[in-house]
């Protein structure tokens, strides 16, 4: 593997996604509705890997694939302990992360690494969901995130196994504002955040 400039692989993993909610002035001036997020369900990730070596310690990586996830928003009236509505939003993302990885010197067929870059995601399910009149909040299908993480490489005779932990932090507002709904007016910005654990098989 040391002498190969390019290699390929697949990544399989699980993810947990959530929203970061920034409330609007309408929420501050009129606290008729409050919002929180129930515990989100874990999702699945499948990606194909392209890895280009940039010298001894750096790699350029493209991990294109699909991610399945679900996020929820619950709406409360003041003084009520249970929500009057919960909106569950299912996502089917096409992911294209562009990453740079820095690796340590090898030690007994192992290397530690850190990785970071930017990721574009497109929600394949977003178009059909935008047509549903019963939704309180509409989410843009496009999102950009900063991604960073760390892991280990384990070198075997015919492949490399790399467990990896990553965090993706959205940098763009994914809320499609709807002025006709109170549930939408109390939100100023929605940002995405995803925590993932994946296993990469490369060779």
């Amino acid at each position: 593997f040391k002498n190969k400039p390019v290699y390929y692989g697949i990544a399989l993993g699980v993810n947990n996604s959530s929203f970061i909610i920034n409330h609007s002035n309408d929420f501050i001036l009129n606290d008729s509705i409050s919002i929180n997020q129930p515990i989100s369900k874990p999702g699945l990730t499948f990606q194909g890997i392209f890895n280009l070596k940039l010298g001894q310690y750096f790699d350029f990586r493209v991990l294109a694939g699909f991610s399945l996830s679900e996020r929820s928003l619950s709406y409360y009236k003041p003084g009520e302990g249970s929500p009057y509505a919960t909106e569950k939003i299912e996502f089917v993302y096409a992911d294209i992360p562009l990453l740079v990885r820095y690796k340590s010197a090898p030690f007994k067929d192992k290397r530690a690494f850190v990785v970071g870059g930017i990721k574009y995601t497109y929600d394949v399910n977003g178009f059909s969901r935008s047509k549903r009149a019963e939704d309180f909040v509409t989410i843009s299908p496009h999102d950009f995130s900063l991604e960073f993480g760390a892991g280990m490489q384990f070198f075997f005779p015919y492949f490399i196994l790399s467990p990896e932990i990553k965090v993706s932090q959205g940098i763009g507002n994914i809320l499609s504002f709807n002025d006709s709904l109170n549930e939408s007016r109390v939100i100023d910005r929605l940002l995405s955040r995803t925590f993932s654990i994946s296993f990469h098989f490369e060779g």
Side-chain angles (χ1 to χ4, degrees), residues 28-96:
I28 297 172
L29 298 174
N30 180 12
D31 59 350
S32 60
I33 299 174
S34 63
I35 304 172
N36 73 0
Q37 298 182 72
I39 297 174
S40 56
K41 295 181 180 178
L44 300 175
T45 301
F46 175 82
Q47 295 171 315
I49 301 170
F50 168 80
N51 189 94
L52 173 65
K53 292 179 66 175
L54 304 175
Q56 184 178 355
Y57 296 104
F58 287 92
D59 294 328
F60 172 72
R61 293 169 66 77
V62 181
L63 286 78
F66 290 92
S67 297
L68 309 176
S69 65
E70 180 182 300
R71 304 170 192 170
S72 300
L73 294 172
S74 293
Y75 301 88
Y76 293 80
K77 295 290 186 181
E80 296 183 0
S82 58
Y84 70 87
T86 297
E87 183 174 353
K88 294 182 179 180
I89 308 171
E90 296 179 345
F91 295 88
V92 181
Y93 279 128
D95 301 321
I96 307 178

Side-chain angles (χ1 to χ4, degrees), residues 31-170:
D31 59 350
S32 60
I33 299 174
S34 63
I35 304 172
N36 73 0
Q37 298 182 72
I39 297 174
S40 56
K41 295 181 180 178
L44 300 175
T45 301
F46 175 82
Q47 295 171 315
I49 301 170
F50 168 80
N51 189 94
L52 173 65
K53 292 179 66 175
L54 304 175
Q56 184 178 355
Y57 296 104
F58 287 92
D59 294 328
F60 172 72
R61 293 169 66 77
V62 181
L63 286 78
F66 290 92
S67 297
L68 309 176
S69 65
E70 180 182 300
R71 304 170 192 170
S72 300
L73 294 172
S74 293
Y75 301 88
Y76 293 80
K77 295 290 186 181
E80 296 183 0
S82 58
Y84 70 87
T86 297
E87 183 174 353
K88 294 182 179 180
I89 308 171
E90 296 179 345
F91 295 88
V92 181
Y93 279 128
D95 301 321
I96 307 178
L98 305 176
L99 306 170
V100 174
R101 181 171 67 178
Y102 173 74
K103 304 173 294 187
S104 68
F107 177 74
K108 294 184 178 180
D109 291 329
K110 303 178 184 65
R111 300 182 87 159
F113 63 83
V114 293
V115 63
I118 191 167
K119 178 175 72 173
Y120 167 73
T121 59
Y122 177 76
D123 181 17
V124 179
N125 204 31
F127 179 78
S128 60
R129 191 175 59 243
S130 67
K131 302 300 182 182
R132 298 191 325 209
E134 68 271 17
D135 285 351
F136 292 122
V137 171
T138 303
I139 306 299
S140 169
H142 305 280
D143 192 18
F144 287 91
S145 304
L146 296 178
E147 199 164 69
F148 50 93
M152 288 285 295
Q153 286 185 305
F154 297 91
F155 291 86
F156 296 94
Y158 299 106
F159 69 95
I160 307 168
L161 171 63
S162 302
E164 183 176 282
I165 299 173
K166 281 204 301 282
V167 175
S168 298
Q169 174 62 57

